[in-house]
Amino acid sequence: MKVARFHAPGDIRVEDAPEPVAGPGEIKIRVRNCSTCGTDAKIFKHGHHHIRPPRVMGHEIAGEVVDGTEGWAPGDRVQVIAAIPCGTCGECRRGRMTVCPNQESMGYHYDGGFAEYMVVPAKVLAVNGVNRIPDGVGFAEASVAEPLACVLNGQELARVGQGDDVVIMGSGPIGCLHVRLARSRGAARVFLLDVNAERLEMAASLVRPDAAVHAEGGDSAVEQVLKLTEGRGADVVVTAAASGAAQEQALRMAARQGRISFFGGLPKDDPIIRCDSNLVHYRELTIVGANGSSPAHNAQALELIAGGEVPVSDLITHRLPLPEVLDGIGIVSRGEAIKVTVEP
Ligand SMILES: [Zn+2]
Ligand SMILES: [Zn+2]
């Protein structure tokens, strides 16, 4: 079968590999869609300390069971989690699976979905990490359940709800999902902000925020948000960009008792920002993080897609066969697409 394997930074090869065989307690799937995201572009450029090459990449996975263990039959349509909690540590036992310190990931510790066939490890099944795809949801849409699950975790932590004015900083695929999810949770107004005017326009034409804010540097982002919110600021600000400057601005555009989600992580070698502590103190701000998603978030994300609360099919702008996976990663890193999905 064909796979796309990471060998070293800048070196991802589409090559032949033997079909994997499911061991006891595992299932083997025929991958139908594995979508790409900014993380894949990051791994391609810099590698990742959890990836020991060669490794089949791809973590936004949907496919069909071809060889099952108990409870699964050939032909079952399934979506697979990316982040695998251990299920037994102190955090997992408290239901905090997104911060399991023993977390492993598909496409990092285990071969992922940029392949015709893939084996789902027993430890994924042990934490209910394989979801049946609801009727009416295609494989490509189902593959987007994983990033949507992460977005759901972020908005739960930031308590996005009825009547909130929400600012999403960053108009990539994650930003688009944030806009749609915020609407489904009852946000009053959702503003989408980006420094890249072209990408902002492409995203805004699809997800139709109440305003698309082109931030031109300096204080422009903060000023525009304050103007749009009658001087109050936003109840929730989500930074869906790997930008310390965006995080600093987010603190200044939040309303009193506002919540700020540092959704996107910062580069490992540059993670320090300046935070006006008095802004946090006097305005009673809450800053929250977000680290992936739990198996339950993945199941909920599939339901949100199936029920039409968060449509995703129109966000899938590019469908590529496996041999073109590198083109897909290039398209993602240049910000030319919303969602690129690979169909092995
Ligand atoms: Zn991803
Ligand atoms: Zn754990």
Side-chain angles (χ1 to χ4, degrees):
M1 66 165 186
K2 287 257 179 287
V3 300
R5 275 202 194 113
F6 174 87
H7 285 265
D11 183 9
I12 292 173
R13 297 177 211 164
V14 177
E15 53 196 9
D16 288 312
E19 260 185 55
V21 178
E26 300 180 332
I27 60 175
K28 175 176 166 181
I29 65 171
R30 171 78 178 89
V31 181
R32 291 297 175 196
N33 280 90
C34 186
S35 293
T36 61
C37 74
T39 307
D40 297 313
K42 228 192 299 179
I43 293 169
F44 176 56
K45 244 195 230 152
H46 307 291
H48 192 282
H49 63 287
H50 283 149
I51 296 185
R52 237 175 290 139
R55 173 66 70 215
V56 178
M57 289 174 58
H59 59 271
E60 302 185 359
I61 304 160
E64 242 170 301
V65 174
V66 289
D67 189 6
T69 178
E70 218 189 302
W72 301 94
D76 284 350
R77 304 165 69 245
V78 295
Q79 180 264 347
V80 183
I81 58 169
I84 314 162
C86 74
T88 56
C89 72
E91 302 313 324
C92 284
R93 277 188 279 113
R94 286 169 176 79
R96 301 171 190 157
M97 289 195 161
T98 53
V99 287
C100 169
N102 310 317
Q103 192 183 78
E104 295 184 321
S105 300
M106 296 303 296
Y108 294 67
H109 303 83
Y110 304 96
D111 280 344
F114 291 153
E116 290 176 68
Y117 293 92
M118 190 194 90
V119 162
V120 179
K123 64 180 299 182
V124 171
L125 289 149
V127 294
N128 295 320
V130 178
N131 293 301
R132 291 178 196 280
I133 301 174
D135 288 341
V137 176
F139 290 115
E141 291 169 87
S143 71
V144 182
E146 192 278 326
L148 178 57
C150 300
V151 166
L152 179 58
N153 178 43
Q155 293 205 10
E156 280 181 1
L157 290 164
R159 290 177 282 118
V160 174
Q162 287 293 332
D164 284 334
D165 281 342
V166 179
V167 170
I168 309 298
M169 303 179 81
S171 65
I174 289 290
C176 289
L177 291 172
H178 269 298
V179 171
R180 288 223 163 127
L181 182 66
R183 288 228 190 277
S184 81
R185 294 172 70 91
R189 295 181 294 185
V190 185
F191 305 115
L192 183 60
L193 186 151
D194 206 308
V195 290
N196 179 336
E198 257 171 74
R199 190 165 87 147
L200 177 64
E201 195 184 326
M202 176 169 62
S205 71
L206 282 170
V207 297
R208 309 215 158 270
D210 290 276
V213 180
H214 179 218
E216 298 181 74
D219 282 341
S220 136
V222 177
E223 281 163 11
Q224 289 185 77
V225 169
L226 289 177
K227 205 178 212 177
L228 284 163
T229 53
E230 300 81 39
R232 277 188 73 233
D235 300 291
V236 181
V237 184
V238 178
T239 61
S243 161
Q247 292 185 345
E248 291 176 5
Q249 288 162 5
L251 291 165
R252 294 168 51 219
M253 63 175 74
R256 286 167 173 75
Q257 287 197 351
R259 288 90 70 198
I260 298 102
S261 169
F262 288 172
F263 187 87
L266 297 186
K268 217 179 302 306
D269 56 357
D270 192 17
I272 308 296
I273 63 165
R274 283 171 60 88
C275 164
D276 181 344
S277 170
N278 277 337
L279 217 52
V280 178
H281 175 78
Y282 290 111
R283 294 191 176 188
E284 300 186 352
L285 302 181
T286 303
I287 303 170
V288 293
N291 182 50
S293 59
S294 69
H297 287 125
N298 281 253
Q300 289 165 39
L302 271 177
E303 291 306 321
L304 288 167
I305 294 169
E309 287 102 322
V310 181
V312 298
S313 62
D314 60 337
L315 301 181
I316 301 163
T317 49
H318 296 64
R319 293 169 185 259
L320 301 174
L322 185 61
E324 290 170 32
V325 64
L326 275 175
D327 301 329
I329 290 173
I331 291 167
V332 169
S333 49
R334 292 191 300 274
E336 292 168 2
I338 304 289
K339 202 74 189 159
V340 180
T341 193
V342 172
E343 313 198 307

